[in-house]
Amino acid sequence: MKKILIEGGARLFGEVHISGAKNSVLPLIAATLLTEGVSAIDESPWLSDVDCMCRVLNHLGAATHFERGTLSIDTTRIVGCEPPGELVRKMRASFLVMGPLLARTGRVCMSLPGGCAIGARPIDLHLKGFEAMGAKIDIGHGFIEAKAPRLFGSRIYLDFPSVGATENLMMAASLAEGHTVIENAALEPEIIDLSNLLSAMGAKIKGAGTNTIRIEGVSSLSPARHTVIPDRIEAGSFLVMAAATGGELIVNNVISEHLQPVTAKLQESGVFLEVGYDSIHILGNEELRPLDIKTLPYPGFPTDMQAQFMALLTVARGCSVVTETVFENRFMHAGELQKMNADIRIDGNTARINGVSHLQAATVAATDLRAGAAMVIAAQMARGTSVITEIQHIERGYENFCQKLEKIGTRIKVLDI
Ligand code: UD1
């Protein structure tokens, strides 16, 4: 089991290059199943989640090859429609193959994606959408079978603007017969990235990035080449890290517009930011002001940045309030931060954080991916050397994290024991 050791107290300094977005590349990989031939995804990060998604596609008959940031996927030969249970249960995003596989092969049978540490995470919105498009869905013994010799365009209203459901339905609708309208669709930048790839493949999509997406189904799509957008959550994590250590960092390869909810909160906390088009310069401040944060679907404050900000606010001058509205159980990191002397009280979906003078090093766990980033931030603020366990969660979503951290001054060691 690998662990990370971090000696606190170092100010971060220098430049960091942000990788392609994990949450974009996973649906992009799934989308290649809609075509026959070789698609290429440039600036793809190499992460354990990307490896897992590639293995799902390999199992279905696709060939994948990763070289120097380009992921090539040959989907000429798709021989299966049953993604392997052990991979689907491991990574919820593998459920994104359901829409494209159903559209291409007419049948999919897969495990129910497991609930995870941050909540139940049902898939009802995906399934209702497929049913509206004419699929017959059977659920039993932990498996879902969806059948549709042909999918038909439909008007679909999502009760919640689910990112995954919007993506799955956009992919299925691209090859359905007729016109699909997805209402109350998610607005996340990753939706626009997927729409851009699908359009490059020949799909007819209008309105991605607004809450009404219109798709005119086509009879076939062609392989395409596409560059993934930069990872706004990785960028946000490094910005918080600079703020937490009173450091100075230039965060390169970002789309600043995607980071507005994050940069607005950092400015409110008192740090100095110079926001360019594709890079952000941050200068930390010794005294951080407390914040009120409420997570919301995009363009609201991202739930994927909640844990990192909670770590930062443990040493702000005063009481902060963090409200989580997207997931029902996303405060696991609060318990770990308390082990480091943080003063946090949880009441339902609200956390009250009273800033303390300093955090104390401890052994803490990366309870999920973003909680792992929060532990790295807290460890850098703490007095002494902290040990972070369960770092496989961090490896799911941060490319070359330890190398990037070391380069900007984090005193970090990885132990593989
Ligand atoms: C995606 C991101 C994840 C991020 C989340 C919210 C990927 C690979 N993951 O996850 O990092 O935290 O968006 O920004 O892109 N829900 C239902 N029924 C459904 C689907 C979702 O009730 O059928 C609920 C979920 O339980 C959750 C909320 O909707 O409470 C948001 O989920 P969703 O937007 O679907 O998130 P994901 O696509 O799973």
Side-chain angles (χ1 to χ4, degrees):
M1 289 299 269
K2 282 205 265 182
K3 292 175 184 170
I4 297 177
L5 261 60
I6 293 180
E7 188 190 331
R11 278 174 199 263
L12 299 193
F13 187 84
E15 297 194 24
V16 63
H17 183 89
I18 298 306
S19 300
K22 169 187 92 80
N23 285 353
S24 237
V25 75
L26 298 175
L28 297 178
I29 297 171
T32 63
L33 286 167
L34 291 162
T35 69
E36 286 180 28
V38 184
S39 292
I41 305 176
D42 292 323
E43 294 190 27
S44 172
W46 187 250
L47 302 162
S48 59
D49 269 12
V50 173
D51 180 47
C52 184
M53 197 65 158
C54 287
R55 283 193 285 136
V56 171
L57 263 70
N58 295 152
H59 182 94
L60 300 170
T64 53
H65 179 70
F66 183 83
E67 196 172 331
R68 285 196 235 138
T70 295
L71 180 61
S72 308
I73 307 170
D74 184 350
T75 50
T76 308
R77 207 177 127 265
I78 293 300
V79 291
C81 55
E82 300 191 359
E86 69 276 13
L87 297 179
V88 175
R89 284 188 293 272
K90 199 166 148 190
M91 188 183 67
R92 179 181 160 88
S94 54
F95 196 68
L96 291 171
V97 302
M98 184 165 242
L101 262 189
L102 187 60
R104 177 162 174 174
T105 68
R107 177 180 173 266
V108 187
C109 182
M110 64 196 291
S111 281
L112 282 163
C116 81
I118 60 174
R121 304 182 83 178
I123 43 156
D124 54 315
L125 301 174
H126 304 236
L127 299 182
K128 271 195 220 164
F130 294 139
E131 271 177 334
M133 295 168 86
K136 186 174 173 310
I137 310 276
D138 281 315
I139 304 181
H141 307 293
F143 279 87
I144 303 177
E145 186 182 41
K147 279 193 210 155
R150 194 85 181 89
L151 288 172
F152 295 95
S154 180
R155 181 169 281 269
I156 300 162
Y157 176 84
L158 298 178
D159 295 335
F160 182 89
S162 154
V163 177
T166 303
E167 292 166 342
N168 232 339
L169 297 172
M170 277 167 73
M171 292 188 278
S174 295
L175 281 186
E177 196 177 311
H179 194 70
T180 296
V181 181
I182 306 173
E183 286 176 306
N184 199 26
L187 309 178
E188 269 69 1
E190 292 76 18
I191 301 291
I192 301 177
D193 207 26
L194 174 62
S195 169
N196 287 341
L197 171 65
L198 292 171
S199 299
M201 289 171 163
K204 294 191 177 156
I205 303 178
K206 282 189 184 148
T210 75
N211 46 26
T212 304
I213 302 179
R214 296 171 190 281
I215 303 159
E216 189 64 47
V218 295
S219 56
S220 68
L221 294 169
S222 318
R225 180 161 212 132
H226 178 80
T227 302
V228 190
I229 55 169
D231 196 310
R232 63 196 165 100
I233 306 301
E234 187 199 2
S237 303
F238 276 105
L239 290 172
V240 173
M241 229 172 275
T245 61
E248 182 172 4
L249 214 53
I250 296 173
V251 181
N252 289 321
N253 192 37
V254 299
I255 298 176
S256 303
E257 194 190 325
H258 296 168
L259 280 150
Q260 262 170 13
V262 170
T263 49
K265 282 293 164 193
L266 283 170
Q267 277 164 332
E268 203 181 317
S269 79
V271 302
F272 170 81
L273 287 176
E274 198 180 331
V275 180
Y277 171 71
D278 59 1
S279 80
I280 299 177
H281 178 186
I282 180 166
L283 187 59
N285 186 348
E286 295 284 305
E287 291 214 358
L288 290 165
R289 289 196 282 270
L291 298 173
D292 274 5
I293 289 178
K294 190 183 203 177
T295 66
L296 286 168
Y298 191 84
F301 185 89
T303 173
D304 285 352
M305 284 301 302
Q306 182 256 103
Q308 300 89 317
F309 267 80
M310 190 184 289
L312 177 72
L313 295 173
T314 57
V315 296
R317 296 285 160 102
C319 180
S320 300
V321 179
V322 173
T323 309
E324 172 60 55
T325 76
V326 178
F327 290 108
E328 75 257 32
N329 181 26
R330 202 168 195 180
F331 282 149
M332 304 263 281
H333 43 278
E336 301 303 299
L337 291 170
Q338 282 161 345
K339 292 180 190 165
M340 301 176 87
N341 193 38
D343 180 356
I344 304 173
R345 308 251 156 102
I346 305 286
D347 183 10
N349 68 345
T350 301
R352 278 171 213 289
I353 304 134
N354 277 311
V356 293
S357 61
H358 67 275
L359 293 181
Q360 194 58 48
T363 296
V364 287
T367 49
D368 64 58
L369 166 57
R370 307 304 171 186
M375 293 309 119
V376 170
I377 292 164
Q380 299 194 69
M381 296 192 290
R383 290 190 185 161
T385 300
S386 297
V387 180
I388 303 171
T389 62
E390 297 182 45
I391 66 163
Q392 72 279 6
H393 290 296
I394 299 178
E395 289 171 342
R396 284 185 41 221
Y398 290 91
E399 189 181 41
N400 299 329
F401 200 37
C402 296
Q403 291 93 316
K404 287 186 185 183
L405 286 168
E406 202 170 14
K407 205 173 146 225
I408 54 175
T410 306
R411 295 188 284 244
I412 186 167
K413 253 191 216 155
V414 182
L415 294 187
D416 199 351
I417 44 169

